[in-house]
Amino acid sequence: MRKNFYITTPIYYVNDKPHIGHAYTTIAADVLARFHKLQGEEVFLLTGTDEHGLKIQHKAEETGKEPQKFVDEISAEFRKLWDKLDIKYNNFIRTTDEKHKKAVQKVLQTLFNKGAIYKGEYEGLYCVACEQFRHENELVDGRCPDHDIVVEKIKEECYLLKMADIQDELVKRIENRELRIEPERYKREVLSFLKNEKLKDISISRKNVKWGIPLPFDKEHTTYVWVDAFLNYLTGLDWDGDANKLPAQWPASVQLLGKDILRVHATIWPAILIHLGIPLPKMLYVHGHILSGGRKMGKTLGNVISIDEMLSKFGVDGTRYLLMSAGTFGEDVDVTMERMVEKYNADLANGLGNLVSRVVKLMGDPGNWGDRGQIKVIGKLIEEMKMSEALSEIWKVVREDDKFIEENKPWELAKKDEKKFQEVMKKLVSDLRLIADLLVPFMPNTSEKIKKVLETKKTEVLFPRVK
Ligand code: MSP
């Protein structure tokens, strides 16, 4: 039996068009999915869009469009972008899909019948950009620390999910690594929070939000958008909401998420699953933010680098490369267009692209290709989510080969020492084949092109220089 590898991205809010923060997570998921496929695993990559809630309702109202029409349009933008970026997802889930909505209602009914959900009242400070209640002590001058907008005081009748009775269980499962949270410091952060604070029951419904899934047992309420959203990780596998009939891919191998949404993923999401008696995902892998000028890049702050501009400047593989090499996955990475242009020219146009064209121009008959020890080293790095480190390793080969060419001057050898010339070329061609293999998950098109030019010996400019 082949090993299952089920990987998810968060589902993206459709209040605005996709940006490079979203692309970052999704490209990482695609790289991991492609890598695990190469390992012979049965891979399923799920992504999609999160389409309900107050934030989206407001945005639709602003544009004067019917909410469904509005979300249809933006959701399509996400899919278009993933196609452009060569993301090979297995399913694209939308929370406005009828099947998803039915399954969510079934789950809520089950939780209600079990007594995990009860009617009450909630009072708190709501940040509509987070779609979450925030603690008073988190706020900066009454504003959300993540979005810099004023929070709203809400007091209303709602249904609540019991958190108290799952808290110890959750701590236990995180500690015994049934639910892994990586990198380690995020696990520590979650545990310290779970051990020091008593979890309040959370509100899972809203009375004043029209744009949501009605509660099956009280049509005056709609489902809280996060509860609706979390269930995508199961409905995206065609699950109908029956806790006794789980999809074969469940539990997820890796759920990728940005650090801003760790808290909810480590509390509400496992709480729902524990109440339902469903196994927890094996791992939550938390990544940092793409910063621009030191602040989280985002629609709400308006400091976004355009993904379309990146694509037109750097191409698909150039964009994938620049985002995956921007810094250690798990930590924040700061990017600017200027630095990306520099890196593109240095690593791709002058680096890999130039190397390929030099070798192909010099190439005689290639021999067979040598040692593949590198594949293991790089494979291990990717398995540990060290994508940028893996790319650095690959680029070490690129740079070594550049140096090797300078030192050996094969164009001179060709005229005076045929044997040495053949040896030098054999190493270079073998290295390029290795590079092409190693690049499959990151830069699938480039990988193909390198293999092709080595065969046809026709040079082509892989990465035109950009200004
Ligand atoms: N809809 C929720 C997630 C529900 S999952 C059950 C949501 N959507 S979001 O569109 O706001 O963000 C989705 C993901 O994009 C999050 O993981 C977030 O961290 C990530 N990013 C958004 N901006 C980002 C950067 N600037 N940098 C890196 N990732 C960022 O939250």
Side-chain angles (χ1 to χ4, degrees):
M1 258 231 319
R2 293 210 291 168
K3 195 171 150 198
N4 267 326
F5 184 77
Y6 174 35
I7 180 165
T8 64
T9 74
I11 47 171
Y12 303 105
Y13 283 131
V14 290
N15 58 318
D16 214 338
K17 293 189 174 134
H19 61 69
I20 73 171
H22 307 133
Y24 182 65
T25 321
T26 313
I27 292 170
D30 184 64
V31 169
L32 293 166
R34 285 175 188 262
F35 171 76
H36 283 268
K37 220 174 280 167
L38 287 173
Q39 308 300 301
E41 294 169 35
E42 187 77 41
V43 170
F44 197 101
L45 166 56
L46 178 69
T47 190
T49 41
D50 190 353
E51 306 188 4
H52 290 124
L54 195 58
K55 172 158 63 172
I56 290 159
Q57 181 183 313
H58 283 163
K59 204 57 201 263
E61 280 162 8
E62 269 170 40
T63 58
K65 288 185 184 150
E66 278 300 309
Q68 189 61 54
K69 179 159 187 296
F70 177 76
V71 299
D72 284 349
E73 286 172 9
I74 307 245
S75 178
E77 298 265 353
F78 275 89
R79 248 168 316 155
K80 237 193 304 177
L81 179 61
W82 301 156
D83 287 346
K84 283 195 214 161
L85 284 168
D86 259 330
I87 309 294
K88 291 259 181 299
Y89 54 78
N90 297 82
N91 190 17
F92 185 99
I93 176 88
R94 300 183 56 188
T95 54
T96 53
D97 289 344
E98 283 309 316
K99 277 185 88 171
H100 170 83
K101 292 196 268 186
K102 280 220 176 73
V104 168
Q105 289 186 320
K106 193 164 182 170
V107 165
L108 290 169
Q109 189 67 56
T110 307
L111 292 171
F112 188 63
N113 296 349
K114 280 186 169 195
I117 287 176
Y118 65 95
K119 193 171 187 173
E121 193 182 59
Y122 198 95
E123 185 176 356
L125 300 162
Y126 199 77
C127 167
V128 67
C130 297
E131 291 280 17
Q132 280 177 58
F133 286 101
R134 308 285 318 220
H135 284 277
E136 185 126 39
N137 60 15
E138 293 176 301
L139 304 180
V140 182
D141 298 331
R143 303 170 92 90
C144 166
D146 290 336
H147 297 98
D148 202 24
I149 60 168
V150 177
V151 294
E152 190 198 349
K153 194 167 189 143
I154 293 180
K155 183 178 180 185
E156 66 180 17
E157 174 198 284
C158 65
Y159 288 82
L160 295 116
L161 181 71
K162 288 186 183 165
M163 297 297 283
D165 46 343
I166 60 101
Q167 188 159 0
D168 293 344
E169 181 66 24
L170 183 54
V171 168
K172 196 181 92 198
R173 297 211 208 174
I174 295 172
E175 278 180 334
N176 70 17
R177 291 166 62 82
E178 205 180 310
L179 170 60
R180 287 172 63 189
I181 300 178
E182 303 263 359
E184 183 71 22
R185 66 174 180 289
Y186 289 112
K187 169 181 172 176
R188 283 198 298 271
E189 192 184 297
V190 167
L191 280 175
S192 102
F193 161 74
L194 284 175
K195 285 176 173 175
N196 291 324
E197 251 172 80
K198 198 150 173 39
L199 290 180
K200 267 169 69 179
D201 292 348
I202 62 138
S203 159
I204 60 99
S205 78
R206 295 294 305 273
K207 224 176 169 174
N208 299 316
V209 180
K210 285 194 307 282
W211 185 238
I213 305 173
L215 294 188
F217 43 84
D218 187 342
K219 296 277 157 39
E220 274 187 52
H221 290 250
T222 56
T223 309
Y224 174 45
V225 59
W226 275 99
V227 171
D228 167 356
F230 282 129
L231 291 167
N232 95 85
Y233 296 138
L234 280 156
T235 61
L237 298 171
D238 225 19
W239 183 59
D240 71 356
D242 182 345
N244 300 314
K245 275 196 301 191
L246 294 175
Q249 290 90 344
W250 192 258
S253 314
V254 181
Q255 303 209 273
L256 294 182
L257 47 125
K259 63 181 185 179
D260 54 323
I261 57 173
L262 171 61
R263 184 74 68 92
V264 270
H265 272 83
T267 50
I268 305 180
W269 176 218
I272 297 171
L273 294 171
I274 293 173
H275 277 302
L276 290 170
I278 294 178
L280 302 185
K282 290 187 193 144
M283 189 198 292
L284 301 179
Y285 198 94
V286 185
H287 65 75
H289 286 147
I290 300 198
L291 309 179
S292 155
R295 298 207 64 180
K296 180 186 170 193
M297 190 181 300
K299 312 175 261 220
T300 322
L301 288 178
N303 56 348
V304 167
I305 288 182
S306 148
I307 188 80
D308 283 332
E309 189 184 343
M310 280 191 78
L311 275 167
S312 68
K313 271 204 160 101
F314 310 127
V316 181
D317 280 13
T319 302
R320 291 172 65 109
Y321 174 78
L322 289 169
L323 290 179
M324 285 302 97
S325 64
T328 298
F329 198 65
E331 280 160 32
D332 286 350
V333 292
D334 201 279
V335 298
T336 64
M337 205 34 133
E338 291 73 27
R339 267 181 289 155
M340 285 198 284
V341 167
E342 246 170 58
K343 194 164 165 63
Y344 170 93
N345 285 330
D347 293 1
L348 299 179
N350 298 341
L352 180 60
N354 190 39
L355 176 66
V356 172
S357 87
R358 282 174 103 180
V359 173
V360 170
K361 278 185 199 142
L362 288 163
M363 225 167 112
D365 253 345
N368 50 1
W369 27 101
D371 155 21
R372 314 240 123 181
Q374 213 102 11
I375 289 199
K376 273 210 179 122
V377 175
I378 283 152
K380 188 155 182 295
L381 286 172
I382 305 176
E383 226 154 72
E384 292 168 356
M385 316 279 181
K386 299 203 168 97
M387 279 80 88
S388 76
E389 289 78 358
L391 285 172
S392 297
E393 282 298 314
I394 301 173
W395 255 259
K396 270 189 202 153
V397 184
V398 174
R399 277 186 277 273
E400 266 168 32
D401 283 349
D402 270 338
K403 220 169 114 208
F404 183 77
I405 293 179
E406 289 311 319
E407 284 165 4
N408 286 283
K409 306 198 174 41
W411 55 93
E412 286 179 7
L413 289 178
K415 287 182 238 152
K416 58 181 199 209
D417 187 345
E418 177 63 20
K419 191 163 158 265
K420 185 82 197 293
F421 173 72
Q422 288 301 340
E423 269 170 37
V424 165
M425 291 310 294
K426 195 166 145 187
K427 172 186 159 50
L428 288 171
V429 171
S430 142
D431 279 358
L432 281 185
R433 286 188 203 272
L434 176 67
I435 292 169
D437 280 343
L438 294 172
L439 284 182
V440 172
F442 294 98
M443 304 167 85
N445 305 296
T446 303
S447 167
E448 286 282 308
K449 281 188 192 161
I450 295 176
K451 287 178 188 162
K452 205 177 105 215
V453 296
L454 289 179
E455 237 168 65
T456 59
K457 297 180 193 135
K458 285 204 190 90
T459 41
E460 83 175 273
V461 181
L462 289 183
F463 302 102
R465 283 186 66 85
V466 299
K467 283 202 200 91

